[in-house]
Amino acid sequence: MSNLTNRNGGPPQNGFRLDKHEGKLFGVCAGLANWSGVDSMIWRIGFVAATLLGFGLTIPIYLAAALIAD
């Protein structure tokens, strides 16, 4: 039996969904945190670091995730 839980203590989600209640902008990082079990602050730091380091696709990927998963 698996001991995986999401950050709210419940079972992990089967698919990615936005978490607008816990999210800051669109809920993408909070949704990724629920889906993966990794803290949402880690996801936020990753997106900001990737954007600042010059990976040009992070902003369009974030916006696409916000628009598609809605």
Side-chain angles (χ1 to χ4, degrees):
M1 183 153 93
S2 176
N3 290 333
L4 295 175
T5 60
N6 69 10
R7 64 189 184 101
N8 295 326
Q13 295 180 356
N14 291 335
F16 170 71
R17 304 190 77 135
L18 298 179
D19 187 356
K20 294 183 180 181
H21 297 288
E22 297 292 326
K24 300 291 182 192
L25 189 58
F26 291 110
V28 173
C29 292
L32 286 170
N34 287 337
W35 174 73
S36 67
V38 177
D39 187 41
S40 62
M41 187 58 66
I42 301 297
W43 282 104
R44 290 181 185 114
I45 290 170
F47 271 106
V48 170
T51 301
L52 293 177
L53 290 172
F55 300 111
L57 290 177
T58 53
I59 294 173
I61 289 172
Y62 186 91
L63 292 174
L67 295 173
I68 292 171
D70 191 23

